[in-house]
Amino acid sequence: MKIYYEKDVDAQVLADKTIAVIGYGSQGMAQSRNMADSGLNVVVGLREGGSSWQAAHDDGMKVMTIEDASKVADIIHILIPDEIQSAVFEQSIKPYLEEGNTLSFSHGYNIHFGYIKVPGNVNVTMIAPKGPGAMVRKTYLEGFGIPGLVAVEQDFTGNARDMALAMGKGCGLARAGILETTFQEETETDLFGEQAVLCGGVTELIKAGFKTLVDAGYQPEVAYFETCHELKLIVDLIYEKGFAGMWHDVSNTAEFGGLSRRSRIITSETQEEMARILKEIQEGKFAREWALENQAGNPMLKRMRDIESELQIEKKGSKLRKLCGLEK
């Protein structure tokens, strides 16, 4: 395992380079501002008149259309949603690519699954913060950073990794450490984590726990606190101290109950299903399903959003979060 820190990175490799950050969402805002504050020459490429155009202007960024940003850039860092990257690349970026340019990403999805096909005379790199944009910006301003990943898919110029690392340093990631990976590993593990654990797995576990208590006659408000609200406290302990530190900080009753019962919840069948989910990702089945969903206008996603919004735990949770001062 190779990890790069600030001392390992030569920022001068970007001294004469212009970086165009395409997109100004959570990651686009954070990464472009951090790199600009680090002294790198950054422009932001956006759809003229779009919702982010004025926000980027107000933040002091140099804003251009995506086409104009692509024309002037040596490095084009694409931070728009996965599902629109291919179309934007074909229409607004590819026509302006020049030999020796670098295409950069923070997620390998479109390169790994072949939805973006690049010529052989450019670099293809990744610099990916392992955290949301708000934390990328917050920790940078605090003088530290969050860890990141670096990968090189195509090295035409011979120094693609050096440039990607310098971008990571500009974002503040090298303060914490930048781990070397590949486009395949980053993409497949990221999708698996989202689907099986971080987004899909944990919300289904919360829903099931909440429903079990409510069906047994307990108050929904109490069920919400026990299965959802307090989850953050436990996750924070694990994040800061690992499993052992979390077990140390909870009660002995909680430790014994958790350790003795957890395998009855996450069973061998659950792990077998996780393996099937991973295989679907590896074989491209999920990517094809997501592509078709987007081509059809996202009917399944819209329906699932509607169902989610009507859940009892969502309605009760909104009221309780207001009581806790978490929502207005």
Short mmCIF file of all heavy atoms in Angstrom, two decimals, residues 227-255:
data_model
loop_
_atom_site.label_atom_id
_atom_site.label_comp_id
_atom_site.label_asym_id
_atom_site.label_seq_id
_atom_site.Cartn_x
_atom_site.Cartn_y
_atom_site.Cartn_z
N THR A 227 -33.61 3.64 17.08
CA THR A 227 -33.10 2.96 15.88
C THR A 227 -32.47 3.90 14.86
O THR A 227 -31.76 3.43 13.96
CB THR A 227 -34.23 2.18 15.18
OG1 THR A 227 -35.26 3.11 14.76
CG2 THR A 227 -34.82 1.13 16.09
N CYS A 228 -32.70 5.21 14.98
CA CYS A 228 -32.18 6.15 13.99
C CYS A 228 -31.36 7.27 14.64
O CYS A 228 -30.19 7.45 14.34
CB CYS A 228 -33.31 6.73 13.15
SG CYS A 228 -32.75 7.79 11.81
N HIS A 229 -31.99 8.02 15.53
CA HIS A 229 -31.34 9.20 16.11
C HIS A 229 -30.00 8.86 16.76
O HIS A 229 -29.00 9.55 16.53
CB HIS A 229 -32.28 9.83 17.14
CG HIS A 229 -31.71 11.03 17.83
ND1 HIS A 229 -31.72 12.29 17.26
CD2 HIS A 229 -31.10 11.16 19.04
CE1 HIS A 229 -31.15 13.14 18.10
NE2 HIS A 229 -30.77 12.48 19.18
N GLU A 230 -29.98 7.80 17.55
CA GLU A 230 -28.76 7.46 18.28
C GLU A 230 -27.70 6.80 17.41
O GLU A 230 -26.56 6.61 17.84
CB GLU A 230 -29.10 6.57 19.47
CG GLU A 230 -29.91 7.29 20.55
CD GLU A 230 -30.04 6.47 21.83
OE1 GLU A 230 -29.14 5.65 22.10
OE2 GLU A 230 -31.04 6.66 22.54
N LEU A 231 -28.07 6.44 16.18
CA LEU A 231 -27.09 5.81 15.29
C LEU A 231 -25.87 6.70 15.07
O LEU A 231 -24.73 6.21 15.02
CB LEU A 231 -27.75 5.47 13.95
CG LEU A 231 -26.86 4.80 12.91
CD1 LEU A 231 -26.43 3.41 13.37
CD2 LEU A 231 -27.56 4.71 11.57
N LYS A 232 -26.11 8.01 14.95
CA LYS A 232 -24.98 8.92 14.73
C LYS A 232 -23.97 8.85 15.86
O LYS A 232 -22.75 8.91 15.62
CB LYS A 232 -25.48 10.36 14.57
CG LYS A 232 -24.34 11.35 14.31
CD LYS A 232 -24.83 12.78 14.25
CE LYS A 232 -23.70 13.74 13.88
NZ LYS A 232 -22.53 13.66 14.79
N LEU A 233 -24.45 8.71 17.08
CA LEU A 233 -23.54 8.65 18.22
C LEU A 233 -22.63 7.44 18.14
O LEU A 233 -21.43 7.51 18.42
CB LEU A 233 -24.35 8.61 19.52
CG LEU A 233 -25.41 9.71 19.71
CD1 LEU A 233 -26.16 9.51 21.01
CD2 LEU A 233 -24.77 11.10 19.65
N ILE A 234 -23.21 6.30 17.71
CA ILE A 234 -22.43 5.07 17.60
C ILE A 234 -21.45 5.16 16.43
O ILE A 234 -20.28 4.78 16.53
CB ILE A 234 -23.36 3.86 17.44
CG1 ILE A 234 -24.27 3.72 18.67
CG2 ILE A 234 -22.56 2.58 17.21
CD1 ILE A 234 -23.52 3.55 19.99
N VAL A 235 -21.93 5.68 15.29
CA VAL A 235 -21.06 5.80 14.12
C VAL A 235 -19.90 6.74 14.42
O VAL A 235 -18.75 6.49 14.02
CB VAL A 235 -21.86 6.28 12.89
CG1 VAL A 235 -20.93 6.64 11.75
CG2 VAL A 235 -22.83 5.19 12.45
N ASP A 236 -20.18 7.83 15.13
CA ASP A 236 -19.10 8.76 15.49
C ASP A 236 -18.04 8.07 16.36
O ASP A 236 -16.83 8.29 16.18
CB ASP A 236 -19.66 9.97 16.24
CG ASP A 236 -20.36 10.96 15.33
OD1 ASP A 236 -20.20 10.82 14.09
OD2 ASP A 236 -21.04 11.86 15.84
N LEU A 237 -18.50 7.22 17.29
CA LEU A 237 -17.55 6.50 18.14
C LEU A 237 -16.69 5.54 17.30
O LEU A 237 -15.47 5.45 17.49
CB LEU A 237 -18.29 5.72 19.22
CG LEU A 237 -18.85 6.53 20.40
CD1 LEU A 237 -19.66 5.62 21.31
CD2 LEU A 237 -17.72 7.19 21.18
N ILE A 238 -17.33 4.83 16.38
CA ILE A 238 -16.58 3.90 15.52
C ILE A 238 -15.61 4.67 14.64
O ILE A 238 -14.45 4.27 14.46
CB ILE A 238 -17.55 3.06 14.66
CG1 ILE A 238 -18.41 2.16 15.56
CG2 ILE A 238 -16.79 2.22 13.64
CD1 ILE A 238 -19.53 1.45 14.83
N TYR A 239 -16.05 5.80 14.10
CA TYR A 239 -15.21 6.64 13.24
C TYR A 239 -13.97 7.12 13.99
O TYR A 239 -12.86 7.12 13.46
CB TYR A 239 -16.03 7.83 12.75
CG TYR A 239 -15.28 8.82 11.88
CD1 TYR A 239 -15.10 8.57 10.52
CD2 TYR A 239 -14.78 10.00 12.42
CE1 TYR A 239 -14.42 9.49 9.72
CE2 TYR A 239 -14.11 10.91 11.63
CZ TYR A 239 -13.93 10.66 10.29
OH TYR A 239 -13.25 11.56 9.50
N GLU A 240 -14.17 7.51 15.23
CA GLU A 240 -13.08 8.09 16.01
C GLU A 240 -12.20 7.04 16.68
O GLU A 240 -10.98 7.24 16.84
CB GLU A 240 -13.65 9.02 17.09
CG GLU A 240 -14.35 10.25 16.54
CD GLU A 240 -15.15 10.99 17.59
OE1 GLU A 240 -15.06 10.61 18.79
OE2 GLU A 240 -15.89 11.93 17.24
N LYS A 241 -12.81 5.88 17.07
CA LYS A 241 -12.07 4.95 17.93
C LYS A 241 -12.06 3.51 17.44
O LYS A 241 -11.46 2.64 18.10
CB LYS A 241 -12.65 4.98 19.34
CG LYS A 241 -12.64 6.36 20.01
CD LYS A 241 -13.23 6.30 21.42
CE LYS A 241 -13.21 7.67 22.09
NZ LYS A 241 -13.71 7.61 23.48
N GLY A 242 -12.75 3.22 16.34
CA GLY A 242 -12.84 1.85 15.89
C GLY A 242 -13.86 1.05 16.68
O GLY A 242 -14.51 1.55 17.60
N PHE A 243 -14.01 -0.23 16.31
CA PHE A 243 -14.97 -1.08 17.03
C PHE A 243 -14.63 -1.18 18.51
O PHE A 243 -15.49 -1.04 19.38
CB PHE A 243 -14.96 -2.49 16.43
CG PHE A 243 -15.65 -2.62 15.10
CD1 PHE A 243 -15.65 -3.83 14.43
CD2 PHE A 243 -16.31 -1.55 14.51
CE1 PHE A 243 -16.29 -3.97 13.21
CE2 PHE A 243 -16.94 -1.66 13.29
CZ PHE A 243 -16.92 -2.89 12.64
N ALA A 244 -13.36 -1.43 18.81
CA ALA A 244 -12.98 -1.64 20.21
C ALA A 244 -13.25 -0.41 21.06
O ALA A 244 -13.73 -0.52 22.19
CB ALA A 244 -11.49 -2.01 20.30
N GLY A 245 -12.98 0.77 20.51
CA GLY A 245 -13.24 2.00 21.25
C GLY A 245 -14.72 2.23 21.47
O GLY A 245 -15.13 2.72 22.53
N MET A 246 -15.53 1.87 20.47
CA MET A 246 -16.99 1.99 20.63
C MET A 246 -17.47 1.06 21.72
O MET A 246 -18.22 1.46 22.62
CB MET A 246 -17.69 1.69 19.31
CG MET A 246 -19.21 1.82 19.36
SD MET A 246 -20.07 0.31 19.89
CE MET A 246 -19.79 -0.76 18.47
N TRP A 247 -17.04 -0.22 21.68
CA TRP A 247 -17.48 -1.17 22.71
C TRP A 247 -17.05 -0.72 24.10
O TRP A 247 -17.78 -0.90 25.08
CB TRP A 247 -16.91 -2.56 22.43
CG TRP A 247 -17.45 -3.26 21.22
CD1 TRP A 247 -16.72 -3.80 20.20
CD2 TRP A 247 -18.82 -3.51 20.89
NE1 TRP A 247 -17.55 -4.36 19.25
CE2 TRP A 247 -18.85 -4.20 19.66
CE3 TRP A 247 -20.04 -3.23 21.53
CZ2 TRP A 247 -20.03 -4.62 19.05
CZ3 TRP A 247 -21.22 -3.63 20.91
CH2 TRP A 247 -21.21 -4.31 19.69
N HIS A 248 -15.90 -0.10 24.17
CA HIS A 248 -15.41 0.39 25.47
C HIS A 248 -16.29 1.50 26.02
O HIS A 248 -16.51 1.61 27.23
CB HIS A 248 -13.97 0.89 25.33
CG HIS A 248 -13.39 1.45 26.59
ND1 HIS A 248 -13.49 2.80 26.93
CD2 HIS A 248 -12.72 0.86 27.61
CE1 HIS A 248 -12.91 3.00 28.10
NE2 HIS A 248 -12.42 1.85 28.53
N ASP A 249 -16.83 2.35 25.11
CA ASP A 249 -17.55 3.54 25.55
C ASP A 249 -19.04 3.30 25.80
O ASP A 249 -19.69 4.12 26.43
CB ASP A 249 -17.38 4.67 24.52
CG ASP A 249 -16.03 5.34 24.63
OD1 ASP A 249 -15.18 4.85 25.42
OD2 ASP A 249 -15.79 6.35 23.94
N VAL A 250 -19.58 2.22 25.24
CA VAL A 250 -20.99 1.93 25.55
C VAL A 250 -21.04 1.08 26.82
O VAL A 250 -20.02 0.65 27.35
CB VAL A 250 -21.69 1.20 24.37
CG1 VAL A 250 -21.67 2.07 23.13
CG2 VAL A 250 -21.06 -0.17 24.09
N SER A 251 -22.25 0.81 27.30
CA SER A 251 -22.39 0.04 28.53
C SER A 251 -22.01 -1.42 28.30
O SER A 251 -22.01 -1.92 27.16
CB SER A 251 -23.84 0.11 29.03
OG SER A 251 -24.70 -0.62 28.16
N ASN A 252 -21.69 -2.11 29.38
CA ASN A 252 -21.40 -3.54 29.28
C ASN A 252 -22.61 -4.30 28.76
O ASN A 252 -22.48 -5.30 28.04
CB ASN A 252 -20.99 -4.09 30.65
CG ASN A 252 -19.64 -3.56 31.11
OD1 ASN A 252 -18.83 -3.12 30.29
ND2 ASN A 252 -19.41 -3.58 32.41
N THR A 253 -23.80 -3.83 29.15
CA THR A 253 -25.02 -4.47 28.67
C THR A 253 -25.13 -4.35 27.15
O THR A 253 -25.45 -5.33 26.45
CB THR A 253 -26.25 -3.82 29.33
OG1 THR A 253 -26.09 -3.82 30.74
CG2 THR A 253 -27.53 -4.54 28.94
N ALA A 254 -24.86 -3.13 26.64
CA ALA A 254 -24.91 -2.91 25.19
C ALA A 254 -23.85 -3.74 24.48
O ALA A 254 -24.10 -4.32 23.41
CB ALA A 254 -24.72 -1.43 24.88
N GLU A 255 -22.67 -3.82 25.07
CA GLU A 255 -21.58 -4.59 24.45
C GLU A 255 -21.94 -6.06 24.36
O GLU A 255 -21.80 -6.68 23.29
CB GLU A 255 -20.29 -4.40 25.25
CG GLU A 255 -19.11 -5.14 24.65
CD GLU A 255 -17.85 -5.01 25.48
OE1 GLU A 255 -17.95 -4.58 26.66
OE2 GLU A 255 -16.77 -5.36 24.98
#
